[in-house]
Amino acid sequence: DAKTTQPTSMDCAEGRAANLPCNHSTISGNEYVYWYRQIHSQGPQYIIHGLKNNETNEMASLIITEDRKSSTLILPHATLRDTAVYYCIVRGSGTYKYIFGTGTRLKVLA
Amino acid sequence: EAGVAQSPRYKIIEKRQSVAFWCNPISGHATLYWYQQILGQGPKLLIQFQNNGVVDDSQLPKDRFSAERLKGVDSTLKIQPAKLEDSAVYLCASSLGQYYSTDTQYFGPGTRLTVL
């Protein structure tokens, strides 16, 4: 199963775009990239997922590089409520498991 | 659509006691997962069910942890006897089915267990 690497923490000013990077250099061709976030004392919340193409939904955008070895989650206008731990996960094509790392702790500053 | 339900939300027990957690997945979801999340770490998969069969329990400490999903819907996770290191949040998640290429897991609020 492919592993992911994320920065431990990031700060972002309220109203600005938050760009959260993730490296997944061992990803296989049919493995999807998923992003979740976990707000304090809650279960992880699904944000977005993608395979090759960039994806956008009401919460965020996902940019995947052409070689698929890295991706960036973009929160276009961060608010204080976006303060959370963000997890980048590659869903294994063989085991279908999610393997969580320690994620990126994003703090949105007023 | 109702989300994944878990109970209780909080539980405090003494070491060597037993405890059970309950999970009700999203209606129609065939796959159910139990995760353990220790403070400061990401969730770790304990066991995965497809309907009422176990798919993966490789990280479940089977000497003290057990789980079942009778009738392929609700599930219970039990710890007997509990140790101090079992203090964690226990998360339940469900998904349509693990064999879907884009199977998305939806998580419940978790049960916070404190073992004294």
Side-chain angles (χ1 to χ4, degrees):
Chain A
D1 292 331
K3 298 277 196 305
T4 62
T5 305
Q6 300 177 254
T8 303
S9 64
M10 294 179 64
D11 290 342
C12 177
E14 189 178 21
R16 302 296 294 269
N19 296 283
L20 292 93
C22 178
N23 286 319
H24 31 79
S25 58
T26 60
I27 193 169
S28 297
N30 58 351
E31 291 180 326
Y32 282 75
V33 179
Y34 282 77
W35 283 83
Y36 281 75
R37 72 179 182 185
Q38 189 170 26
I39 295 169
H40 184 62
S41 296
Q42 297 182 21
Q45 176 190 23
Y46 166 76
I47 301 173
I48 198 167
H49 71 277
L51 181 64
K52 296 179 185 176
N53 301 319
N54 298 337
E55 302 287 345
T56 296
N57 64 19
E58 65 277 6
M59 289 183 69
S61 294
L62 174 60
I63 309 297
I64 302 174
T65 58
E66 194 167 341
D67 63 7
R68 303 213 323 122
K69 293 185 176 182
S70 66
S71 60
T72 301
L73 179 75
I74 301 172
L75 308 178
H77 306 286
T79 71
L80 298 179
R81 288 177 294 181
D82 293 322
T83 292
V85 177
Y86 287 77
Y87 294 101
C88 168
I89 301 160
V90 172
R91 180 170 176 255
S93 58
T95 65
Y96 307 103
K97 286 200 288 196
Y98 285 6
I99 298 177
F100 285 81
T102 51
T104 296
R105 187 171 297 276
L106 175 70
K107 186 184 293 185
V108 180
L109 306 172
Chain B
E1 176 183 270
V4 176
Q6 290 188 249
S7 67
R9 290 298 312 278
Y10 304 92
K11 190 74 176 178
I12 300 174
I13 61 173
E14 304 265 336
K15 61 183 179 184
R16 291 188 289 274
Q17 286 187 321
S18 62
V19 65
F21 312 126
W22 173 82
C23 173
N24 180 240
I26 292 172
S27 177
H29 279 193
T31 308
L32 185 146
Y33 312 79
W34 282 103
Y35 289 84
Q36 180 193 59
Q37 186 173 26
I38 292 170
L39 188 65
Q41 299 180 18
K44 181 184 83 171
L45 180 68
L46 291 176
I47 189 167
Q48 177 181 339
F49 292 93
Q50 177 75 9
N51 297 309
N52 59 351
V54 174
V55 173
D56 184 347
D57 63 357
S58 58
Q59 302 218 73
L60 187 75
K62 297 180 187 65
D63 58 334
R64 298 183 301 107
F65 286 64
S66 64
E68 61 182 11
R69 191 183 183 199
L70 299 176
K71 300 181 182 178
V73 182
D74 293 6
S75 177
T76 56
L77 176 70
K78 296 179 182 176
I79 308 175
Q80 181 179 7
K83 293 185 175 181
L84 296 177
E85 59 260 36
D86 297 331
S87 293
V89 174
Y90 291 85
L91 294 160
C92 179
S94 71
S95 68
L96 275 174
Q98 64 168 46
Y99 299 112
Y100 288 85
S101 61
T102 61
D103 195 38
T104 299
Q105 295 184 28
Y106 296 92
F107 287 79
T111 296
R112 182 176 298 276
L113 174 67
T114 302
V115 182
L116 303 176

